[in-house]
Amino acid sequence: MAHHKKKSKSRDRILKELNELRKLLKKKHKQKRRRHRSSSSDSSASNASNQQSESLHSGSPGCSDSLSPDAPVLPTLANAVTIPPKLTLDDEVLNVLGPRLLVEKVFTPPVPQDFALRWEEIVQLGLKQEERDALLIKYPLIENCEFLEPPSLNSELLQALTDVARTRDQRLVKKQARLAACLTGIGKSVSALVTTDGPKNLMLIETLSDVGRLLADLFYEENAIRRSLVLAHVNVEIKDTLNSSPADKLLFGSTLVDNLKSAKLVAQSAAVLKIVKQPFKPLDQRCFDSQRN
């Protein structure tokens, strides 16, 4: 019995020593792993920098020399498909993209540079007065286009305008005179083209005709501006009569006086024919008025 107890104690001591030895080995193993991890991290960082440097020189990032030729090639900037910047898209693709917010300007083919330079200088500086007068004399009114002469202001309305309004009206008259000279020059050119060889000059005739139409419309708008300036200084009761009087040689027509007289007679006739309603009075008030009379 005693021998058995002694044997169990020695076995327990051996197991205890084995456990302590195991703990010690485990502790040393952990320390070794920590040292190995720190050293491996430093070496991996240096290896990564070396690989990056090699990839920059070799032109194949992330790939080693031992890579199989059958491996898939990743897309890079070198082998990417480039789209030309001036590629014209189909109409179907443009419809999908939607309309543009800003409309692209369309230009006519250039004129000779000498023309463009002279026009630019006139637009920026204007013509000299003597040169402007010479051009107006050079292009007098066409015989069958007397309607292009700027209409004069009716004498009946001249007194109603202020000095500022009269000065502005005269400036608009001078502008209309230049428009008439432009239309005269276009008319002379069209007449020359038609009489020489009309069918061969259709493009030029069309262009000059379009320009003439735009200038004639501008002449009309200047008349409308002049009339609106006058209407701002007259009695409200005759504005309708003035608006209904078309312009001819005079701004509000040659029959303005007759139109004003007719309008006055109509107003008087309407006042006579109009039924005037008597104000309503109570019965007691009417009896009192009858007894007093």
Side-chain angles (χ1 to χ4, degrees):
M1 186 73 179
H3 177 71
H4 179 72
K5 288 183 178 180
K6 185 177 179 180
K7 187 177 181 179
S8 63
K9 286 183 179 180
S10 62
R11 186 176 62 182
D12 293 337
R13 188 175 64 251
I14 293 172
L15 292 174
K16 184 177 180 182
E17 290 176 356
L18 289 174
N19 288 331
E20 290 178 355
L21 181 61
R22 187 183 299 145
K23 290 180 180 179
L24 181 61
L25 292 174
K26 190 175 181 180
K27 184 177 180 180
K28 289 183 177 180
H29 182 67
K30 286 183 178 179
Q31 292 176 354
K32 186 177 180 180
R33 288 181 59 185
R34 290 195 190 98
R35 289 195 298 270
H36 178 71
R37 189 181 297 119
S38 61
S39 62
S40 63
S41 62
D42 295 336
S43 62
S44 63
S46 62
N47 292 334
S49 62
N50 293 332
Q51 289 179 1
Q52 184 177 6
S53 175
E54 291 176 0
S55 64
L56 290 176
H57 290 289
S58 63
S60 56
C63 298
S64 62
D65 295 338
S66 61
L67 187 63
S68 174
D70 296 334
V73 180
L74 297 177
T76 60
L77 292 176
N79 57 16
V81 179
T82 58
I83 300 176
K86 293 185 179 181
L87 177 64
T88 302
L89 301 178
D90 296 336
D91 292 338
E92 296 181 356
V93 178
L94 293 176
N95 291 333
V96 174
L97 296 178
R100 291 188 54 183
L101 298 180
L102 299 178
V103 180
E104 187 176 358
K105 289 184 178 181
V106 179
F107 293 96
T108 302
V111 298
Q113 189 63 21
D114 292 333
F115 277 93
L117 289 175
R118 283 158 176 77
W119 290 347
E120 183 180 9
E121 292 173 355
I122 295 172
V123 168
Q124 294 177 354
L125 304 175
L127 286 174
K128 296 180 179 180
Q129 184 63 44
E130 55 271 16
E131 189 174 358
R132 186 184 302 129
D133 295 338
L135 289 173
L136 291 176
I137 296 173
K138 184 178 179 180
Y139 296 100
L141 288 177
I142 301 174
E143 185 177 353
N144 58 343
C145 295
E146 296 181 2
F147 53 83
L148 291 177
E149 185 175 0
S152 302
L153 185 60
N154 299 69
S155 58
E156 297 83 8
L157 301 172
L158 188 59
Q159 301 299 326
L161 299 182
T162 61
D163 294 338
V164 176
R166 293 195 198 98
T167 303
R168 188 173 182 184
D169 183 73
Q170 288 301 314
R171 291 180 60 186
L172 296 176
V173 169
K174 293 179 180 180
K175 186 185 295 185
Q176 285 183 310
R178 279 178 280 175
L179 290 173
C182 294
L183 288 168
T184 298
I186 292 174
K188 290 176 63 175
S189 301
V190 170
S191 299
L193 292 173
V194 171
T195 54
T196 53
D197 198 350
K200 292 183 179 180
N201 300 319
L202 288 180
M203 186 183 69
L204 293 175
I205 294 173
E206 181 182 5
T207 301
L208 292 172
S209 177
D210 293 340
V211 175
R213 293 171 64 191
L214 289 173
L215 291 175
D217 183 64
L218 187 57
F219 191 96
Y220 163 79
E221 287 189 355
E222 294 299 323
N223 265 350
I225 294 174
R226 293 179 61 195
R227 289 166 64 94
S228 65
L229 291 175
V230 175
L231 292 175
H233 295 82
V234 299
N235 192 350
V236 179
E237 297 179 355
I238 64 172
K239 281 188 176 182
D240 292 337
T241 305
L242 295 178
N243 280 324
S244 60
S245 302
D248 46 26
K249 293 182 179 181
L250 298 177
L251 188 58
F252 287 92
S254 303
T255 61
L256 177 61
V257 177
D258 296 334
N259 294 338
L260 290 174
K261 291 180 180 179
S262 300
K264 186 175 181 180
L265 291 175
V266 170
Q268 292 176 353
S269 300
V272 172
L273 296 174
K274 186 176 180 180
I275 299 176
V276 180
K277 294 184 179 180
Q278 297 293 333
F280 176 77
K281 292 183 180 180
L283 181 60
D284 296 340
Q285 183 66 29
R286 284 181 286 177
C287 295
F288 176 75
D289 293 342
S290 61
Q291 290 178 1
R292 189 174 58 180
N293 295 331

